Amino acid sequence: MSNRSLVALVLSLSILTPVMAQITAASAANAEIEGGTPAYVKEETPEQRRARVGEVDPGTNPDPKAEFSRFGKKWKIERYEREWAAYDAAPGYVRPMAMVNFAFEIYQQNEKYVWVWVPTQDELAIAAQAPPPVEQRSKFTEPQLAYLRRVAPEFMELTPAPVDKVVRFEASMKGLPQEGSWRNSAAFADMNGDGHVDIIAPPERGTRSVMPAIFLGDGKGTWTPWGAAVWPYLVQYGNVVAADFNGDKIMDLAFGQHLTGPRVLLHDGKGRFTDSSNGLANDRFPTRRVVAADVDGDKDIDLLALYEGPAPGVQIHNSRVRAYINEKNGSEWRMVGASKDADLVSGDWLAVGRFNRDKYPDFVSSNHYFQRPETLYTSDGAAKWKLVDWQDGVLVPYLSVYTAVAAGRFGSRDLDDAIMAYHRAWPADVEQEFVKNPPITSLVGIDRISFAGKIPTRTPIMRFEGTRPISGLAAADFDGDGKNDILFTRHNPREAVLLLGDGKGGFRRATVEGLELLENPNYDINIGDVNRDGRPDVLVLHESNSESPFGKQNGAIRFFLNRGPAKK
């Protein structure tokens, strides 16, 4: 504390002392606290409270004469009437008497009073005797520096313990293209009604083909291009989902199209598709990710679409996550904003889950806007959502972009968790005298967000040094033990990583055999039980990384049958 600050503090305390004496006397006379049960300025977990107040908790109605050790210093806690307070200081601080220009850190408050931390006279005397420090200023604000100190311990490796188990996969690509440029996300569905699961792939990117492709399955992992498929128009690359939009028990298709917007094609069951995009075609919403879900509870399948991000000549100034409500049996669609206009959110990944206990779906989104926490949304009625509080970077950390996402039951019986992959970068210009650089400054990882408690909580699953984000992630029971697992693709080293869930929110890493990835990028992992053995099989679309966009493209569609677990 500088001498100038010390003088100001002593002066402010001398002015406030008579008021404190009156309030202290009134406090001793009251068994109950006027204004209701005090709380901190925002909800906090027991761990967060302990980090804020220290190991010895002063309690709900602390004695104003008591001294508390906190962060190596001694404090008292004084109480003031809030009607005289000014909340114009840094977050978490207050000027208890607005006419005195000195702020104190808030301990707790209710409707009538605010309690603040005040240094003891001993601490003031120690500060007065100390030589004035050389004042140094950081380009970062004190709240920013405090956040960096808080998050720095996460910038280090985190690896789940290994488990003595192998999950084996077998390549089964007969009939699938092993060239081209395939990206974003495909779908599994029985399109020709023969009882076998088929693959629906979106059009290739940047090649001669601008038509989707359907590969009919035989239930054993062999595939045949469906030559009977007839499309009403060209489709841009993106993702595809299969659902029965008009209630005729035949699978239809919806496409997220790069720069063009979502489209719905109804299917006659024999390979002929007809456009049914009234209400979609006039909303030119750039998206490469749509998901199907009944968002308004009327049992019709609707769509959610995510903004793919800024592009030349394209500006979106309102909802960047949109719901399209299915009306008149899939013949008309009505747009509803799923995110607020001010929410900056974009990317290529979107997953639906059950994060609260109403009957409407919630969702988790990627976000390619750096430092933007708009990723988690819970339902607030039919076709309405609200953004989950990111808890000032505790739940959804800053310094990040968020990529592949998934949802599933990992630690709760009735609620899903959100699984979020990220790339996190430490600021390169942090002055070392204020905050030391952590062991890793460019980090890739996965977090689990649980909604089972009073407030959502985040648990890190895995972290490693890297610059290329995770671009494929899926949640399913891959080893057949009845508990959901996480499978994701990693770039360096290039591999598929399988984390087996224990049903309580914990994970151990298993060995993966037979699931070989190309060096080419992939943008998703699609899963489906093709041979109906109860095990999720895996489909990966690889984009071409060929230098010539008009020559031979070296991407591929690769499919792997899950042959189950074995001991290592």
Side-chain angles (χ1 to χ4, degrees):
M1 180 180 294
S2 69
N3 288 341
R4 183 172 56 188
S5 299
L6 177 62
V7 170
L9 178 58
V10 172
L11 178 60
S12 66
L13 289 173
S14 67
I15 294 173
L16 295 177
T17 297
V19 179
M20 287 192 290
Q22 295 175 13
I23 293 175
T24 301
S27 175
N30 289 336
E32 296 185 1
I33 302 174
E34 293 182 76
T37 302
Y40 188 50
V41 294
K42 62 181 180 181
E43 282 191 285
E44 55 185 354
T45 64
E47 292 77 15
Q48 291 168 337
R49 179 178 177 87
R50 188 161 52 250
R52 181 175 65 86
V53 305
E55 290 299 322
V56 178
D57 197 309
T60 304
N61 195 14
D63 182 352
K65 297 180 181 179
E67 293 185 358
F68 303 97
S69 293
R70 176 174 178 255
F71 305 145
K73 295 185 178 182
K74 293 182 179 180
W75 305 81
K76 288 186 176 182
I77 297 175
E78 303 290 357
R79 188 183 78 173
Y80 302 93
E81 292 192 20
R82 285 186 66 178
E83 65 175 310
W84 306 110
Y87 290 81
D88 55 1
Y93 287 77
V94 66
R95 289 192 292 132
M97 303 295 287
M99 71 287 292
V100 179
N101 190 26
F102 206 96
F104 295 87
E105 185 182 356
I106 296 171
Y107 168 63
Q108 65 183 19
Q109 62 186 18
N110 62 13
E111 291 185 2
K112 185 172 179 60
Y113 299 108
V114 59
W115 288 255
V116 297
W117 297 96
V118 177
T120 65
Q121 293 298 322
D122 289 345
E123 289 293 343
L124 291 174
I126 293 171
Q129 294 170 6
V134 178
E135 287 203 19
Q136 296 179 339
R137 291 184 177 273
S138 170
K139 66 180 68 176
F140 296 89
T141 65
E142 186 53 43
Q144 289 172 334
L145 292 173
Y147 178 78
L148 290 173
R149 294 185 191 106
R150 188 179 77 198
V151 78
E154 292 198 39
F155 278 79
M156 61 180 61
E157 295 270 351
L158 175 65
T159 303
V163 61
D164 187 21
K165 184 181 284 190
V166 177
V167 177
R168 301 161 301 167
F169 291 88
E170 179 185 339
S172 186
M173 289 172 273
K174 185 177 180 181
L176 296 177
Q178 299 306 296
E179 62 179 56
S181 187
W182 307 89
R183 63 164 289 174
N184 289 86
S185 188
F188 287 108
D190 179 7
M191 297 303 296
N192 62 347
D194 65 353
H196 299 310
V197 176
D198 310 314
I199 294 173
I200 309 98
E204 297 179 67
R205 180 192 181 194
T207 65
R208 59 192 177 277
S209 173
V210 285
M211 290 294 185
I214 297 177
F215 302 94
L216 300 179
D218 65 354
K220 300 176 183 178
T222 299
W223 310 95
T224 303
W226 199 13
V230 178
W231 309 98
Y233 44 66
L234 307 181
V235 180
Q236 290 295 323
Y237 82 91
N239 87 305
V240 58
V241 294
D244 180 9
F245 293 113
N246 59 356
D248 64 358
K249 303 190 184 308
I250 297 173
M251 299 304 286
D252 310 305
L253 300 176
F255 292 88
Q257 294 189 102
H258 171 59
L259 296 181
T260 306
R263 294 289 186 274
V264 169
L265 303 182
L266 299 182
H267 182 211
D268 67 355
K270 300 178 181 179
R272 180 172 294 275
F273 293 87
T274 56
D275 179 68
S276 187
S277 301
N278 187 16
L280 298 173
N282 58 345
D283 187 25
R284 195 169 179 265
F285 180 61
T287 179
R288 294 189 293 242
R289 178 66 61 160
V290 296
V291 297
D294 178 10
V295 303
D296 55 359
D298 66 354
K299 302 194 184 313
D300 289 333
I301 304 300
D302 312 300
L303 291 175
L304 279 168
L306 172 65
Y307 176 48
E308 66 182 76
V314 178
Q315 294 291 331
I316 297 296
H317 300 291
N318 52 0
S319 300
R320 292 170 176 84
V321 186
R322 299 184 179 184
Y324 295 93
I325 308 302
N326 183 341
E327 297 184 334
K328 299 181 180 179
N329 293 323
S331 63
E332 293 186 7
W333 302 86
R334 174 173 54 89
M335 193 278 283
V336 173
S339 63
K340 292 187 180 302
D341 292 353
D343 292 353
L344 286 179
V345 54
S346 71
D348 285 322
W349 297 272
L350 186 67
V352 169
R354 185 169 187 249
F355 304 147
N356 62 18
R357 289 181 168 83
D358 69 12
K359 66 179 182 179
Y360 304 107
D362 315 301
F363 62 88
V364 55
S365 168
S366 61
N367 201 342
H368 288 175
Y369 287 103
F370 184 62
Q371 298 249 67
R372 296 300 300 201
E374 294 97 327
T375 55
L376 296 164
Y377 291 80
T378 53
S379 56
D380 195 26
K384 295 180 181 178
W385 293 268
K386 59 183 178 182
L387 181 64
V388 175
D389 179 10
W390 59 91
Q391 301 171 17
D392 195 23
V394 173
L395 187 68
V396 182
Y398 302 116
L399 308 174
S400 307
V401 294
Y402 290 91
T403 55
V405 297
R409 305 277 167 87
F410 291 94
S412 170
R413 293 181 179 179
D414 59 344
L415 291 177
D416 291 331
D417 295 331
I419 307 298
M420 301 171 59
Y422 60 82
H423 173 238
R424 198 161 290 153
W426 184 261
D429 53 350
V430 177
E431 304 96 336
Q432 296 301 287
E433 60 267 31
F434 294 100
V435 184
K436 294 292 186 184
N437 283 339
I440 297 174
T441 56
S442 183
L443 192 73
V444 177
I446 300 174
D447 286 343
R448 177 177 72 92
I449 309 297
S450 170
F451 297 86
K454 191 173 182 181
I455 62 173
T457 57
R458 177 176 63 92
T459 303
I461 296 173
M462 187 172 181
R463 298 188 297 258
F464 48 88
E465 187 170 9
T467 57
R468 292 192 65 172
I470 293 168
S471 57
L473 187 152
D477 178 12
F478 288 96
D479 65 341
D481 68 350
K483 304 177 183 69
N484 273 334
D485 313 310
I486 296 171
L487 180 70
F488 71 91
T489 55
R490 180 175 174 176
H491 285 281
N492 188 21
R494 190 65 165 133
E495 61 181 349
V497 178
L498 179 58
L499 305 179
L500 301 182
D502 62 5
K504 301 176 183 178
F507 297 88
R508 292 191 295 172
R509 181 172 178 175
T511 300
V512 177
E513 288 185 355
L515 209 166
E516 296 179 358
L517 303 171
L518 300 179
E519 288 296 324
N520 308 39
N522 65 288
Y523 290 81
D524 204 356
I525 297 174
N526 297 114
I527 56 173
D529 185 6
V530 166
N531 54 0
R532 303 190 186 280
D533 62 357
R535 294 189 288 260
D537 306 310
V538 173
L539 177 72
V540 182
L541 305 184
H542 284 286
E543 185 180 20
S544 175
N545 62 4
S546 169
E547 292 183 2
S548 171
F550 303 106
K552 182 177 180 180
Q553 304 291 289
N554 63 357
I557 298 179
R558 296 171 68 83
F559 177 77
F560 303 88
L561 289 167
N562 184 344
R563 293 306 190 190
K567 280 207 168 183
K568 195 170 180 180

